Amino acid sequence: MVGETVITVVGNLTDDPELRLTPSGDPVAHFTVASTPRTFDRQSNEWRDAETLFLRCSVWRQEAEHAAESLSRGTRVIVQGRLRQRTYETREGEKRTVIELEADEIGPSLRFAAVTVTKPPHTGVPAGARGGPRPPAEDPFTRPGGEQPVPAAGGRHAPREEADPF
């Protein structure tokens, strides 16, 4: 949305994502990402770690379930989302303010690991349930499994016939 602060954080999970249900039954997963910037010191010819940022994150609905099933402590992740500031009161009556990342996208980093991606079966959550665009009901390009139709021969996207170079 306009005016929101969108950031991308790359780091390691400090613990397994914690999956809970809201009173209305919506799943939400909470986790913390530790991100430590590194710089190369040319004088000493070695890498130096800066101060680690610990950022509390949350992810909702089906994506929360996927994160809890797929990610674990130590996994290097890439998280993109919107910063949220929240104020609450402790049991002692002190007011506290925290800044959290409400994740829109989360996935494992492939820089130091290989993963196998599996698409779960459709659960009935309509496309665009998180506010994204919805495909038209009669969209000819939407098929189960995300497959796209192959254009007919001679169609706009059909491969061109090349002249024999010999």
Side-chain angles (χ1 to χ4, degrees), residues 117-129:
V117 178
T118 57
K119 288 181 77 171
H122 184 66
T123 61
V125 176

Side-chain angles (χ1 to χ4, degrees), residues 46-166:
E46 59 186 34
W47 289 96
R48 299 214 185 264
D49 290 341
E51 191 170 335
T52 302
L53 167 70
F54 293 93
L55 188 57
R56 190 76 175 149
C57 304
S58 61
V59 63
W60 292 83
R61 298 176 191 76
Q62 188 175 25
E63 194 171 2
E65 294 171 343
H66 293 172
E69 291 172 16
S70 306
L71 304 173
S72 61
R73 178 183 179 171
T75 303
R76 187 163 185 84
V77 294
I78 303 167
V79 183
Q80 183 179 43
R82 293 160 281 127
L83 289 178
R84 297 281 188 222
Q85 182 172 312
R86 181 172 59 88
T87 303
Y88 66 97
E89 194 171 305
T90 65
R91 292 182 182 152
E92 293 79 28
E94 299 173 330
K95 286 200 171 195
R96 302 266 171 97
T97 300
V98 294
I99 296 176
E100 301 171 321
L101 179 63
E102 187 174 312
D104 293 321
E105 299 286 341
I106 179 171
S109 170
L110 301 180
R111 186 171 186 184
F112 301 110
V115 298
T116 301
V117 178
T118 57
K119 288 181 77 171
H122 184 66
T123 61
V125 176
R130 295 194 52 206
R134 297 174 189 245
E138 301 285 327
D139 187 353
F141 296 104
T142 303
R143 291 188 179 173
E147 300 171 346
Q148 292 189 357
V150 177
R156 191 169 74 116
H157 298 289
R160 294 182 299 161
E161 290 186 25
E162 300 287 336
D164 189 0
F166 298 106

